[in-house]
Amino acid sequence: MLSRRAELLVGLGVMGLAALVLWVLIPGHITIPRRVPIAALSPAFWPNVIGWTMLLCGALLTARATFAPPPPDTIADDLSITRPEVLRMGALAITLGTAYVALPVVGMTWTCMIVYFLLVLMTGARRPIWGTLIAILLPLALYFFFTKVAGVAIPQGRIVRLP
């Protein structure tokens, strides 16, 4: 559990990052066409949604830290990090780094399938069969929706190409 001061600083930091994304990075680095038939297909739509969500979450964290009662003097829980948590975070970092490198080679759909499956395994999901099915079907469904219905090209890899 964070102290009130730390929670306040995290909230203000998230709001500052959201402001940077909304008013500097998106207008300066995302090319927006003049007329987009569906607003959700604009290149700036989803970054704006994420930016406004970050701003809202930062404001809620700041309000919570400001109006929350002071925490007790002693903390009963031991907040030290255990070895399995360190290994899991290391595996997550390696998985995300490998996904970043693999995207141009393998393609977005296949990389997302593999990363989602690895995340299901890393988190120790109660129903790994469902996680595996979702890891396969969700990226395929999104690929076919965006390519066939929305007409948006999804990055393909050099190894295996989808129709």
Side-chain angles (χ1 to χ4, degrees), residues 77-140:
D77 295 335
D78 180 22
L79 299 177
S80 62
I81 299 172
T82 61
R83 187 165 189 250
E85 291 172 344
V86 171
L87 292 175
R88 195 174 292 138
M89 289 303 291
L92 176 64
I94 290 170
T95 301
L96 294 178
T98 306
Y100 177 76
V101 172
L103 270 171
V105 177
V106 181
M108 185 176 275
T109 306
W110 297 102
T111 303
C112 289
M113 281 182 192
I114 294 166
V115 168
Y116 193 98
F117 177 71
L118 290 175
L119 289 176
V120 166
L121 292 179
M122 273 191 271
T123 57
R126 285 188 234 153
R127 297 181 179 94
I129 302 295
W130 281 105
T132 304
L133 284 173
I134 291 171
I136 294 169
L137 296 177
L138 183 64
L140 282 176

Side-chain angles (χ1 to χ4, degrees), residues 5-146:
R5 182 174 186 273
E7 194 169 310
L8 181 68
L9 290 175
V10 168
L12 291 174
V14 169
M15 288 188 344
L17 184 62
L20 176 76
V21 166
L22 287 171
W23 292 295
V24 176
L25 294 179
I26 292 174
H29 298 286
I30 294 180
T31 305
I32 303 170
R34 290 182 187 260
R35 291 191 178 157
V36 179
I38 301 172
L41 296 178
S42 170
F45 180 77
W46 291 110
N48 275 318
V49 168
I50 292 169
W52 285 106
T53 304
M54 286 172 53
L55 190 67
L56 177 66
C57 289
L60 290 175
L61 267 174
T62 304
R64 177 179 148 179
T66 304
F67 299 117
D73 292 336
T74 60
I75 297 175
D77 295 335
D78 180 22
L79 299 177
S80 62
I81 299 172
T82 61
R83 187 165 189 250
E85 291 172 344
V86 171
L87 292 175
R88 195 174 292 138
M89 289 303 291
L92 176 64
I94 290 170
T95 301
L96 294 178
T98 306
Y100 177 76
V101 172
L103 270 171
V105 177
V106 181
M108 185 176 275
T109 306
W110 297 102
T111 303
C112 289
M113 281 182 192
I114 294 166
V115 168
Y116 193 98
F117 177 71
L118 290 175
L119 289 176
V120 166
L121 292 179
M122 273 191 271
T123 57
R126 285 188 234 153
R127 297 181 179 94
I129 302 295
W130 281 105
T132 304
L133 284 173
I134 291 171
I136 294 169
L137 296 177
L138 183 64
L140 282 176
L142 288 172
Y143 169 77
F144 283 114
F145 170 77
F146 279 105

